Amino acid sequence: SSKKTATVEAELSKKLNISWADARDLASYARGRLGIIPGDKAAEKVQREAILEAAIEADRQSPKKRNPPKKKGPKLSPEERARQAKIEKSGKKMSALWDGVQRNARYGYVPP
């Protein structure tokens, strides 16, 4: 098949909403339970569904930490993203400048 299937780990991490590293732990545990030797791609292809089921079952017994939902902002064009970054940067610059002015004022320095 020319369509590339997601790795078992990628699929688990998406399906269970867990980190990729946790998904890898579950997948390797599941492969072990099914007696699949690490790196045996052929057996993995044949047993793919069984691996997923075993991993999901393992997660049910001792749940992995769920990923917090991603903060989805509106999709911005590259130009708009650059503009936002510029605004943010200048905001930081101004607040740093203002902090400096206030700090100086606290020590009795008043600009001429």
Side-chain angles (χ1 to χ4, degrees), residues 9-25:
E9 291 82 359
E11 201 166 314
L12 282 171
S13 103
K14 199 182 201 108
K15 203 178 256 177
L16 297 174
N17 188 29
I18 56 179
S19 74
W20 190 88
D22 282 344
R24 183 187 53 202
D25 290 348

Side-chain angles (χ1 to χ4, degrees), residues 2-79:
S2 62
K3 186 183 169 289
K4 189 133 172 65
T5 48
T7 61
V8 172
E9 291 82 359
E11 201 166 314
L12 282 171
S13 103
K14 199 182 201 108
K15 203 178 256 177
L16 297 174
N17 188 29
I18 56 179
S19 74
W20 190 88
D22 282 344
R24 183 187 53 202
D25 290 348
L26 285 174
S28 69
Y29 169 78
R31 288 186 188 104
R33 295 257 343 244
L34 296 167
I36 297 171
I37 300 159
D40 185 349
K41 296 289 176 224
E44 206 169 293
K45 263 197 190 101
V46 177
Q47 304 244 47
R48 185 183 174 85
E49 286 309 308
I51 293 171
L52 288 170
E53 276 164 39
I56 289 168
E57 183 52 45
D59 180 64
R60 222 174 273 127
Q61 280 162 21
S62 56
K64 296 283 186 188
K65 196 165 128 289
R66 300 291 172 237
N67 287 335
K70 294 237 189 316
K71 293 187 177 41
K72 282 258 192 259
K75 279 269 184 244
L76 301 176
S77 68
E79 295 81 22

